[in-house]
PDB file of all heavy atoms in Angstrom:
ATOM      1  N   ARG P   1      81.511 105.047 177.768  1.00 93.00           N
ATOM      2  CA  ARG P   1      82.620 105.145 176.767  1.00 93.00           C
ATOM      3  C   ARG P   1      82.319 104.273 175.570  1.00 93.00           C
ATOM      4  O   ARG P   1      82.021 103.029 175.647  1.00 93.00           O
ATOM      5  CB  ARG P   1      83.920 104.693 177.458  1.00 93.00           C
ATOM      6  CG  ARG P   1      84.374 105.583 178.567  1.00 93.00           C
ATOM      7  CD  ARG P   1      85.619 105.108 179.193  1.00 93.00           C
ATOM      8  NE  ARG P   1      86.687 105.234 178.230  1.00 93.00           N
ATOM      9  CZ  ARG P   1      87.972 104.834 178.458  1.00 93.00           C
ATOM     10  NH1 ARG P   1      88.277 104.280 179.641  1.00 93.00           N
ATOM     11  NH2 ARG P   1      88.900 104.909 177.488  1.00 93.00           N
ATOM     12  N   GLY P   2      82.396 104.830 174.346  1.00 92.00           N
ATOM     13  CA  GLY P   2      82.088 104.095 173.189  1.00 92.00           C
ATOM     14  C   GLY P   2      82.902 102.900 172.929  1.00 92.00           C
ATOM     15  O   GLY P   2      82.456 101.893 172.432  1.00 92.00           O
ATOM     16  N   GLU P   3      84.229 102.935 173.294  1.00 93.00           N
ATOM     17  CA  GLU P   3      85.087 101.790 173.052  1.00 93.00           C
ATOM     18  C   GLU P   3      84.751 100.610 173.847  1.00 93.00           C
ATOM     19  O   GLU P   3      85.110  99.460 173.559  1.00 93.00           O
ATOM     20  CB  GLU P   3      86.509 102.241 173.311  1.00 93.00           C
ATOM     21  CG  GLU P   3      86.848 102.620 174.768  1.00 93.00           C
ATOM     22  CD  GLU P   3      88.304 103.175 175.007  1.00 93.00           C
ATOM     23  OE1 GLU P   3      88.849 103.529 174.010  1.00 93.00           O
ATOM     24  OE2 GLU P   3      88.686 103.203 176.105  1.00 93.00           O
ATOM     25  N   GLU P   4      83.974 100.793 175.003  1.00 95.00           N
ATOM     26  CA  GLU P   4      83.580  99.715 175.826  1.00 95.00           C
ATOM     27  C   GLU P   4      82.295  98.983 175.365  1.00 95.00           C
ATOM     28  O   GLU P   4      81.883  97.934 175.865  1.00 95.00           O
ATOM     29  CB  GLU P   4      83.371 100.151 177.217  1.00 95.00           C
ATOM     30  CG  GLU P   4      84.671 100.605 177.877  1.00 95.00           C
ATOM     31  CD  GLU P   4      84.501 101.125 179.269  1.00 95.00           C
ATOM     32  OE1 GLU P   4      83.257 101.153 179.777  1.00 95.00           O
ATOM     33  OE2 GLU P   4      85.463 101.564 179.972  1.00 95.00           O
ATOM     34  N   ARG P   5      81.648  99.667 174.391  1.00 96.00           N
ATOM     35  CA  ARG P   5      80.393  99.139 173.824  1.00 96.00           C
ATOM     36  C   ARG P   5      80.737  98.012 172.811  1.00 96.00           C
ATOM     37  O   ARG P   5      81.781  98.076 172.131  1.00 96.00           O
ATOM     38  CB  ARG P   5      79.602 100.208 173.189  1.00 96.00           C
ATOM     39  CG  ARG P   5      79.130 101.323 174.060  1.00 96.00           C
ATOM     40  CD  ARG P   5      78.531 102.492 173.276  1.00 96.00           C
ATOM     41  NE  ARG P   5      78.519 103.673 174.084  1.00 96.00           N
ATOM     42  CZ  ARG P   5      78.410 104.889 173.533  1.00 96.00           C
ATOM     43  NH1 ARG P   5      78.365 105.100 172.244  1.00 96.00           N
ATOM     44  NH2 ARG P   5      78.404 105.973 174.366  1.00 96.00           N
ATOM     45  N   PRO P   6      79.847  97.056 172.647  1.00 96.00           N
ATOM     46  CA  PRO P   6      80.122  96.009 171.607  1.00 96.00           C
ATOM     47  C   PRO P   6      79.846  96.660 170.228  1.00 96.00           C
ATOM     48  O   PRO P   6      79.234  97.739 170.090  1.00 96.00           O
ATOM     49  CB  PRO P   6      79.002  94.933 171.902  1.00 96.00           C
ATOM     50  CG  PRO P   6      77.920  95.695 172.613  1.00 96.00           C
ATOM     51  CD  PRO P   6      78.631  96.719 173.464  1.00 96.00           C
ATOM     52  N   SER P   7      80.393  96.035 169.143  1.00 95.00           N
ATOM     53  CA  SER P   7      80.074  96.475 167.802  1.00 95.00           C
ATOM     54  C   SER P   7      78.624  95.939 167.433  1.00 95.00           C
ATOM     55  O   SER P   7      78.108  95.074 168.135  1.00 95.00           O
ATOM     56  CB  SER P   7      81.053  95.889 166.883  1.00 95.00           C
ATOM     57  OG  SER P   7      80.914  94.438 166.783  1.00 95.00           O
ATOM     58  N   MET P   8      78.151  96.556 166.397  1.00 95.00           N
ATOM     59  CA  MET P   8      76.731  96.166 165.962  1.00 95.00           C
ATOM     60  C   MET P   8      76.748  94.753 165.499  1.00 95.00           C
ATOM     61  O   MET P   8      75.731  94.044 165.583  1.00 95.00           O
ATOM     62  CB  MET P   8      76.142  97.095 165.015  1.00 95.00           C
ATOM     63  CG  MET P   8      75.606  98.397 165.460  1.00 95.00           C
ATOM     64  SD  MET P   8      74.449  98.197 166.860  1.00 95.00           S
ATOM     65  CE  MET P   8      73.214  97.241 166.098  1.00 95.00           C
ATOM     66  N   LYS P   9      77.923  94.253 164.935  1.00 95.00           N
ATOM     67  CA  LYS P   9      77.957  92.905 164.445  1.00 95.00           C
ATOM     68  C   LYS P   9      77.853  91.968 165.589  1.00 95.00           C
ATOM     69  O   LYS P   9      77.115  90.967 165.599  1.00 95.00           O
ATOM     70  CB  LYS P   9      79.283  92.693 163.759  1.00 95.00           C
ATOM     71  CG  LYS P   9      79.453  91.287 163.243  1.00 95.00           C
ATOM     72  CD  LYS P   9      80.878  90.980 162.594  1.00 95.00           C
ATOM     73  CE  LYS P   9      80.952  91.796 161.267  1.00 95.00           C
ATOM     74  NZ  LYS P   9      82.247  91.514 160.539  1.00 95.00           N
ATOM     75  N   GLU P  10      78.470  92.271 166.759  1.00 95.00           N
ATOM     76  CA  GLU P  10      78.417  91.449 168.033  1.00 95.00           C
ATOM     77  C   GLU P  10      76.945  91.556 168.551  1.00 95.00           C
ATOM     78  O   GLU P  10      76.434  90.484 168.982  1.00 95.00           O
ATOM     79  CB  GLU P  10      79.359  91.886 169.041  1.00 95.00           C
ATOM     80  CG  GLU P  10      80.888  91.686 168.604  1.00 95.00           C
ATOM     81  CD  GLU P  10      81.805  92.404 169.571  1.00 95.00           C
ATOM     82  OE1 GLU P  10      81.475  93.367 170.081  1.00 95.00           O
ATOM     83  OE2 GLU P  10      82.987  91.904 169.660  1.00 95.00           O
ATOM     84  N   VAL P  11      76.393  92.687 168.513  1.00 96.00           N
ATOM     85  CA  VAL P  11      74.985  92.828 169.042  1.00 96.00           C
ATOM     86  C   VAL P  11      74.031  91.952 168.204  1.00 96.00           C
ATOM     87  O   VAL P  11      73.212  91.215 168.741  1.00 96.00           O
ATOM     88  CB  VAL P  11      74.552  94.250 169.063  1.00 96.00           C
ATOM     89  CG1 VAL P  11      73.044  94.407 169.355  1.00 96.00           C
ATOM     90  CG2 VAL P  11      75.369  95.130 170.007  1.00 96.00           C
ATOM     91  N   ALA P  12      74.246  92.010 166.863  1.00 95.00           N
ATOM     92  CA  ALA P  12      73.313  91.286 166.009  1.00 95.00           C
ATOM     93  C   ALA P  12      73.541  89.780 166.165  1.00 95.00           C
ATOM     94  O   ALA P  12      72.573  88.957 166.163  1.00 95.00           O
ATOM     95  CB  ALA P  12      73.636  91.667 164.546  1.00 95.00           C
ATOM     96  N   MET P  13      74.785  89.258 166.513  1.00 94.00           N
ATOM     97  CA  MET P  13      75.033  87.936 166.747  1.00 94.00           C
ATOM     98  C   MET P  13      74.351  87.419 167.973  1.00 94.00           C
ATOM     99  O   MET P  13      73.733  86.380 167.921  1.00 94.00           O
ATOM    100  CB  MET P  13      76.609  87.674 166.835  1.00 94.00           C
ATOM    101  CG  MET P  13      77.288  87.774 165.578  1.00 94.00           C
ATOM    102  SD  MET P  13      79.080  87.688 165.788  1.00 94.00           S
ATOM    103  CE  MET P  13      79.272  86.109 166.540  1.00 94.00           C
ATOM    104  N   GLU P  14      74.400  88.204 169.067  1.00 94.00           N
ATOM    105  CA  GLU P  14      73.723  87.772 170.261  1.00 94.00           C
ATOM    106  C   GLU P  14      72.259  87.668 170.147  1.00 94.00           C
ATOM    107  O   GLU P  14      71.538  86.775 170.637  1.00 94.00           O
ATOM    108  CB  GLU P  14      74.200  88.743 171.455  1.00 94.00           C
ATOM    109  CG  GLU P  14      75.590  88.531 171.890  1.00 94.00           C
ATOM    110  CD  GLU P  14      75.870  88.957 173.257  1.00 94.00           C
ATOM    111  OE1 GLU P  14      74.973  88.726 174.167  1.00 94.00           O
ATOM    112  OE2 GLU P  14      76.879  89.537 173.539  1.00 94.00           O
ATOM    113  N   LEU P  15      71.686  88.699 169.469  1.00 95.00           N
ATOM    114  CA  LEU P  15      70.260  88.768 169.229  1.00 95.00           C
ATOM    115  C   LEU P  15      69.778  87.539 168.433  1.00 95.00           C
ATOM    116  O   LEU P  15      68.727  86.924 168.643  1.00 95.00           O
ATOM    117  CB  LEU P  15      69.730  90.016 168.722  1.00 95.00           C
ATOM    118  CG  LEU P  15      69.895  91.258 169.540  1.00 95.00           C
ATOM    119  CD1 LEU P  15      69.603  92.555 168.819  1.00 95.00           C
ATOM    120  CD2 LEU P  15      68.882  91.135 170.778  1.00 95.00           C
ATOM    121  N   GLU P  16      70.583  87.255 167.365  1.00 93.00           N
ATOM    122  CA  GLU P  16      70.251  86.102 166.488  1.00 93.00           C
ATOM    123  C   GLU P  16      70.296  84.804 167.330  1.00 93.00           C
ATOM    124  O   GLU P  16      69.571  83.874 167.117  1.00 93.00           O
ATOM    125  CB  GLU P  16      71.133  86.087 165.296  1.00 93.00           C
ATOM    126  CG  GLU P  16      70.768  85.009 164.251  1.00 93.00           C
ATOM    127  CD  GLU P  16      69.438  85.312 163.625  1.00 93.00           C
ATOM    128  OE1 GLU P  16      68.930  86.357 163.670  1.00 93.00           O
ATOM    129  OE2 GLU P  16      68.854  84.276 163.087  1.00 93.00           O
ATOM    130  N   GLY P  17      71.360  84.760 168.212  1.00 91.00           N
ATOM    131  CA  GLY P  17      71.426  83.614 169.079  1.00 91.00           C
ATOM    132  C   GLY P  17      70.170  83.351 169.949  1.00 91.00           C
ATOM    133  O   GLY P  17      69.676  82.202 170.062  1.00 91.00           O
ATOM    134  N   LEU P  18      69.694  84.463 170.470  1.00 90.00           N
ATOM    135  CA  LEU P  18      68.433  84.415 171.277  1.00 90.00           C
ATOM    136  C   LEU P  18      67.255  83.903 170.443  1.00 90.00           C
ATOM    137  O   LEU P  18      66.478  83.131 170.839  1.00 90.00           O
ATOM    138  CB  LEU P  18      68.091  85.678 171.970  1.00 90.00           C
ATOM    139  CG  LEU P  18      69.038  86.128 173.170  1.00 90.00           C
ATOM    140  CD1 LEU P  18      68.712  87.493 173.531  1.00 90.00           C
ATOM    141  CD2 LEU P  18      68.788  85.154 174.252  1.00 90.00           C
ATOM    142  N   ARG P  19      67.217  84.394 169.198  1.00 89.00           N
ATOM    143  CA  ARG P  19      66.119  83.971 168.320  1.00 89.00           C
ATOM    144  C   ARG P  19      66.189  82.466 167.990  1.00 89.00           C
ATOM    145  O   ARG P  19      65.142  81.749 168.011  1.00 89.00           O
ATOM    146  CB  ARG P  19      66.166  84.703 167.059  1.00 89.00           C
ATOM    147  CG  ARG P  19      65.710  86.243 167.148  1.00 89.00           C
ATOM    148  CD  ARG P  19      65.471  86.804 165.753  1.00 89.00           C
ATOM    149  NE  ARG P  19      64.422  86.036 165.070  1.00 89.00           N
ATOM    150  CZ  ARG P  19      64.284  86.044 163.717  1.00 89.00           C
ATOM    151  NH1 ARG P  19      65.210  86.611 162.893  1.00 89.00           N
ATOM    152  NH2 ARG P  19      63.276  85.301 163.138  1.00 89.00           N
ATOM    153  N   VAL P  20      67.434  82.023 167.702  1.00 88.00           N
ATOM    154  CA  VAL P  20      67.604  80.623 167.302  1.00 88.00           C
ATOM    155  C   VAL P  20      67.256  79.780 168.640  1.00 88.00           C
ATOM    156  O   VAL P  20      66.611  78.668 168.471  1.00 88.00           O
ATOM    157  CB  VAL P  20      69.022  80.371 166.925  1.00 88.00           C
ATOM    158  CG1 VAL P  20      69.309  78.881 166.777  1.00 88.00           C
ATOM    159  CG2 VAL P  20      69.363  81.022 165.611  1.00 88.00           C
ATOM    160  N   LEU P  21      67.497  80.267 169.774  1.00 82.00           N
ATOM    161  CA  LEU P  21      67.160  79.522 171.091  1.00 82.00           C
ATOM    162  C   LEU P  21      65.674  79.343 171.136  1.00 82.00           C
ATOM    163  O   LEU P  21      65.143  78.344 171.491  1.00 82.00           O
ATOM    164  CB  LEU P  21      67.713  80.307 172.240  1.00 82.00           C
ATOM    165  CG  LEU P  21      67.290  79.776 173.597  1.00 82.00           C
ATOM    166  CD1 LEU P  21      67.826  78.347 173.820  1.00 82.00           C
ATOM    167  CD2 LEU P  21      67.752  80.711 174.793  1.00 82.00           C
ATOM    168  N   ILE P  22      64.923  80.392 170.777  1.00 79.00           N
ATOM    169  CA  ILE P  22      63.470  80.336 170.893  1.00 79.00           C
ATOM    170  C   ILE P  22      62.938  79.255 169.907  1.00 79.00           C
ATOM    171  O   ILE P  22      62.097  78.434 170.230  1.00 79.00           O
ATOM    172  CB  ILE P  22      62.796  81.635 170.525  1.00 79.00           C
ATOM    173  CG1 ILE P  22      63.163  82.676 171.668  1.00 79.00           C
ATOM    174  CG2 ILE P  22      61.318  81.549 170.371  1.00 79.00           C
ATOM    175  CD1 ILE P  22      62.691  84.082 171.392  1.00 79.00           C
ATOM    176  N   GLN P  23      63.523  79.294 168.610  1.00 78.00           N
ATOM    177  CA  GLN P  23      63.069  78.335 167.644  1.00 78.00           C
ATOM    178  C   GLN P  23      63.402  76.925 168.048  1.00 78.00           C
ATOM    179  O   GLN P  23      62.706  75.958 167.899  1.00 78.00           O
ATOM    180  CB  GLN P  23      63.730  78.682 166.281  1.00 78.00           C
ATOM    181  CG  GLN P  23      63.329  80.023 165.731  1.00 78.00           C
ATOM    182  CD  GLN P  23      64.167  80.411 164.604  1.00 78.00           C
ATOM    183  OE1 GLN P  23      65.122  79.737 164.173  1.00 78.00           O
ATOM    184  NE2 GLN P  23      63.821  81.608 164.018  1.00 78.00           N
ATOM    185  N   ALA P  24      64.683  76.684 168.649  1.00 77.00           N
ATOM    186  CA  ALA P  24      65.015  75.401 169.075  1.00 77.00           C
ATOM    187  C   ALA P  24      64.129  75.010 170.281  1.00 77.00           C
ATOM    188  O   ALA P  24      63.799  73.767 170.358  1.00 77.00           O
ATOM    189  CB  ALA P  24      66.544  75.376 169.499  1.00 77.00           C
ATOM    190  N   ASN P  25      63.787  75.820 171.154  1.00 72.00           N
ATOM    191  CA  ASN P  25      62.879  75.551 172.289  1.00 72.00           C
ATOM    192  C   ASN P  25      61.586  74.970 171.761  1.00 72.00           C
ATOM    193  O   ASN P  25      61.081  73.983 172.208  1.00 72.00           O
ATOM    194  CB  ASN P  25      62.651  76.815 173.125  1.00 72.00           C
ATOM    195  CG  ASN P  25      63.481  76.864 174.299  1.00 72.00           C
ATOM    196  OD1 ASN P  25      63.868  75.776 174.859  1.00 72.00           O
ATOM    197  ND2 ASN P  25      63.848  78.066 174.791  1.00 72.00           N
ATOM    198  N   GLU P  26      60.998  75.697 170.829  1.00 70.00           N
ATOM    199  CA  GLU P  26      59.740  75.288 170.234  1.00 70.00           C
ATOM    200  C   GLU P  26      59.811  73.867 169.681  1.00 70.00           C
ATOM    201  O   GLU P  26      58.992  72.969 169.770  1.00 70.00           O
ATOM    202  CB  GLU P  26      59.236  76.275 169.225  1.00 70.00           C
ATOM    203  CG  GLU P  26      58.870  77.614 169.822  1.00 70.00           C
ATOM    204  CD  GLU P  26      58.566  78.666 168.731  1.00 70.00           C
ATOM    205  OE1 GLU P  26      58.771  78.340 167.555  1.00 70.00           O
ATOM    206  OE2 GLU P  26      58.090  79.814 169.023  1.00 70.00           O
ATOM    207  N   LYS P  27      60.937  73.569 168.889  1.00 71.00           N
ATOM    208  CA  LYS P  27      61.104  72.259 168.341  1.00 71.00           C
ATOM    209  C   LYS P  27      61.264  71.183 169.339  1.00 71.00           C
ATOM    210  O   LYS P  27      60.637  70.098 169.255  1.00 71.00           O
ATOM    211  CB  LYS P  27      62.269  72.356 167.390  1.00 71.00           C
ATOM    212  CG  LYS P  27      62.536  71.118 166.536  1.00 71.00           C
ATOM    213  CD  LYS P  27      63.752  71.210 165.604  1.00 71.00           C
ATOM    214  CE  LYS P  27      64.020  69.927 164.902  1.00 71.00           C
ATOM    215  NZ  LYS P  27      65.143  70.044 164.045  1.00 71.00           N
ATOM    216  N   LEU P  28      62.140  71.435 170.396  1.00 69.00           N
ATOM    217  CA  LEU P  28      62.394  70.375 171.382  1.00 69.00           C
ATOM    218  C   LEU P  28      61.264  70.167 172.259  1.00 69.00           C
ATOM    219  O   LEU P  28      61.044  69.063 172.704  1.00 69.00           O
ATOM    220  CB  LEU P  28      63.586  70.836 172.137  1.00 69.00           C
ATOM    221  CG  LEU P  28      64.958  70.882 171.377  1.00 69.00           C
ATOM    222  CD1 LEU P  28      66.106  71.318 172.268  1.00 69.00           C
ATOM    223  CD2 LEU P  28      65.254  69.534 170.786  1.00 69.00           C
ATOM    224  N   GLU P  29      60.407  71.226 172.556  1.00 65.00           N
ATOM    225  CA  GLU P  29      59.236  71.060 173.413  1.00 65.00           C
ATOM    226  C   GLU P  29      58.224  70.084 172.680  1.00 65.00           C
ATOM    227  O   GLU P  29      57.625  69.310 173.395  1.00 65.00           O
ATOM    228  CB  GLU P  29      58.599  72.344 173.643  1.00 65.00           C
ATOM    229  CG  GLU P  29      59.338  73.183 174.697  1.00 65.00           C
ATOM    230  CD  GLU P  29      58.713  74.613 174.868  1.00 65.00           C
ATOM    231  OE1 GLU P  29      57.680  74.814 174.212  1.00 65.00           O
ATOM    232  OE2 GLU P  29      59.204  75.386 175.655  1.00 65.00           O
ATOM    233  N   SER P  30      58.247  70.177 171.451  1.00 62.00           N
ATOM    234  CA  SER P  30      57.322  69.259 170.672  1.00 62.00           C
ATOM    235  C   SER P  30      57.764  67.800 170.791  1.00 62.00           C
ATOM    236  O   SER P  30      56.918  66.895 170.589  1.00 62.00           O
ATOM    237  CB  SER P  30      57.188  69.714 169.242  1.00 62.00           C
ATOM    238  OG  SER P  30      58.419  69.507 168.575  1.00 62.00           O
ATOM    239  N   THR P  31      59.015  67.543 171.064  1.00 59.00           N
ATOM    240  CA  THR P  31      59.570  66.211 171.142  1.00 59.00           C
ATOM    241  C   THR P  31      59.804  65.790 172.684  1.00 59.00           C
ATOM    242  O   THR P  31      60.342  64.754 172.866  1.00 59.00           O
ATOM    243  CB  THR P  31      60.890  66.001 170.301  1.00 59.00           C
ATOM    244  OG1 THR P  31      61.775  66.982 170.826  1.00 59.00           O
ATOM    245  CG2 THR P  31      60.529  66.363 168.882  1.00 59.00           C
ATOM    246  N   GLY P  32      59.621  66.766 173.545  1.00 54.00           N
ATOM    247  CA  GLY P  32      59.777  66.464 174.976  1.00 54.00           C
ATOM    248  C   GLY P  32      61.311  66.577 175.420  1.00 54.00           C
ATOM    249  O   GLY P  32      61.610  66.191 176.534  1.00 54.00           O
ATOM    250  N   GLU P  33      62.146  67.167 174.598  1.00 53.00           N
ATOM    251  CA  GLU P  33      63.513  67.393 174.929  1.00 53.00           C
ATOM    252  C   GLU P  33      63.654  68.541 175.844  1.00 53.00           C
ATOM    253  O   GLU P  33      62.902  69.578 175.671  1.00 53.00           O
ATOM    254  CB  GLU P  33      64.348  67.530 173.718  1.00 53.00           C
ATOM    255  CG  GLU P  33      64.370  66.277 172.850  1.00 53.00           C
ATOM    256  CD  GLU P  33      65.146  66.525 171.556  1.00 53.00           C
ATOM    257  OE1 GLU P  33      65.203  67.644 171.152  1.00 53.00           O
ATOM    258  OE2 GLU P  33      65.689  65.493 171.057  1.00 53.00           O
TER     259      GLU P  33
END
């Protein structure tokens, strides 16, 4: 059912969150966090 699917704005937000997580991981790993 289409109404149960997220909007593309919500999809884009979650994917961008995963990307930011990867960048933060790389930064914190370099400092041991």
Side-chain angles (χ1 to χ4, degrees):
R1 299 183 62 185
E3 62 185 19
E4 296 177 359
R5 301 169 196 159
S7 67
M8 281 309 304
K9 182 184 292 187
E10 293 170 330
V11 173
M13 288 173 61
E14 288 205 38
L15 289 173
E16 185 64 19
L18 285 175
R19 285 193 63 204
V20 172
L21 174 62
I22 293 175
Q23 295 169 1
N25 261 331
E26 293 173 351
K27 181 177 179 181
L28 294 179
E29 283 176 1
S30 64
T31 60
E33 296 176 331

